Amino acid sequence: MQEDFVDMQVSPVLVNQTVNNEYTLYLDGEIRDLTKYIEHFSVFKNATPNDIVLLHINSIGGSVSIGQVYIKHMRECQCPIIGFIGVDCASQAAAIAMVCDDLVFDEMSTMLIHQFSYSEYSNANDVFRKAEFNKKLNERWVNTYFSEILSEDEYERVMSGQDVMLDSETLEERWMVIRENRRSEYADMLDV
């Protein structure tokens, strides 16, 4: 018995494999100790454009200086950062949330926005000079992080020293507009 062999040609197969990592980070509690976020900074630094960071935010805020370091690392991250807003997203944590590429809310999400606070133990003249200086910093901070999400009335309330609390429905509605505006700005940048 003779076996028939089919002439089989081996065709080359090229495989291009990419690795996509999904990093899940938790920003919770008071923002106080910079060393607590070293692993977050490492993720922001090492993530590639193919990766994604899921940042769960449930924080009452805290140190502006530490929050600004956190934001600096977020801005240097090459991949999208998606923020999941919890029940407490206040002050500096809200500023961090507004730097995310996208936000996800649930029925209990809130955001508390106000001017940052500072304390000073010094003589009256020093307190006065520093208060004038910090007023400028406060205005810059509110404009940088919250001008997109606050209504004109809310902005004025914040600048006059009042707290503004946004609930999940308000956040959802406003974020849809912000998301569309950011996409339009990005598209315009690509056209240039």
Side-chain angles (χ1 to χ4, degrees), residues 49-61:
N50 296 326
D51 297 332
I52 190 166
V53 173
L54 307 178
L55 179 60
H56 295 266
I57 303 172
N58 196 35
S59 169
I60 60 170

Side-chain angles (χ1 to χ4, degrees), residues 82-101:
I82 311 303
F84 292 82
I85 306 305
V87 174
D88 291 320
C89 183
S91 193
Q92 186 60 42
I96 289 169
M98 292 304 296
V99 177
C100 290
D101 297 294

